[in-house]
Amino acid sequence: MSLILSFLHGNQIGKIACLSGFLPDWGENLIINGSLINKPYLITHGTSDQIVPVERARMAQTILRSTGASVNYCETLAGHKLSAKCFIELKAFFA
């Protein structure tokens, strides 16, 4: 949801964090050309997530980077939760 909101209302949002989330297949169509250049994103995901496959987070990272967004990516051996390592990155991201 944070990714879609950032595409629709990016001018009202500073930093965007996506925790164990994904970009819907149709979501890329909402990106306005040039609107995400240098927009800061953090994506965190666990490689053992059985709810949202880690490949979806990797795909979102690739799509965002291709638009010129600034993407921090934290992937750890975890399930559908925020790991301690990614929590530290989240805290630093919003500091």
Side-chain angles (χ1 to χ4, degrees), residues 1-11 13 16 30 41:
M1 184 166 52
S2 63
L3 296 176
I4 297 300
L5 284 173
S6 75
F7 301 163
L8 297 174
H9 303 286
N11 58 338
I13 300 171
I16 301 94
L30 299 176
Y41 286 86

Side-chain angles (χ1 to χ4, degrees), residues 42-57:
L42 171 66
I43 298 174
T44 70
H45 215 90
T47 57
S48 300
D49 190 329
Q50 293 184 358
I51 297 171
V52 179
V54 68
E55 290 78 19
R56 299 299 302 256

Side-chain angles (χ1 to χ4, degrees), residues 60-95:
Q61 172 190 203
T62 300
I63 290 168
L64 289 171
R65 286 198 171 138
S66 74
T67 68
S70 173
V71 182
N72 293 0
Y73 184 79
C74 182
E75 182 178 294
T76 58
L77 181 58
H80 191 72
K81 63 179 185 173
L82 185 62
S83 69
K85 178 183 183 283
C86 291
F87 178 77
I88 291 168
E89 290 206 25
L90 177 67
K91 184 176 175 183
F93 180 72
F94 283 113

